[in-house]
Amino acid sequence: MNPLTVSALSTHIRSLFGNDDLLRDVWVAGEVSNLKRAASGHIYFSLKDAGATISAVMWRGAAMGLSWVPRDGDQV
């Protein structure tokens, strides 16, 4: 097996999202869990529902613009 470079994988994923009508502009609803605010200002958390969990990050710029601070258990 020939492993992909990080750059090649990132480029491929970006292409998949950019060319898929469903994923091009996706919004996801779920429950916040495992929220951690990093010293960098980024917010790391999981977003879950009854059937699955995904890891997520809110970059510092977006986090600074929030009018409220998310907490574990919030439905977003």
Side-chain angles (χ1 to χ4, degrees):
M1 176 184 272
N2 292 332
L4 293 172
T5 65
V6 173
S7 295
L9 178 60
S10 178
T11 298
H12 184 72
I13 291 169
R14 188 177 304 118
S15 173
L16 290 174
F17 273 71
N19 293 322
D20 186 300
D21 289 338
L22 176 65
L23 298 175
R24 186 176 300 131
D25 186 23
V26 65
W27 291 68
V28 179
E31 178 184 331
V32 174
S33 66
N34 302 316
L35 186 134
K36 293 175 183 59
R37 294 187 75 113
S40 63
H42 305 322
I43 300 174
Y44 297 93
F45 58 99
S46 296
L47 195 58
K48 66 181 186 175
D49 64 16
T53 301
I54 59 172
S55 297
V57 61
M58 182 180 297
W59 305 119
R60 178 182 56 225
M64 288 174 41
L66 290 177
S67 60
W68 57 279
V69 178
R71 297 178 310 203
D72 284 347
D74 283 351
Q75 296 292 321
V76 296

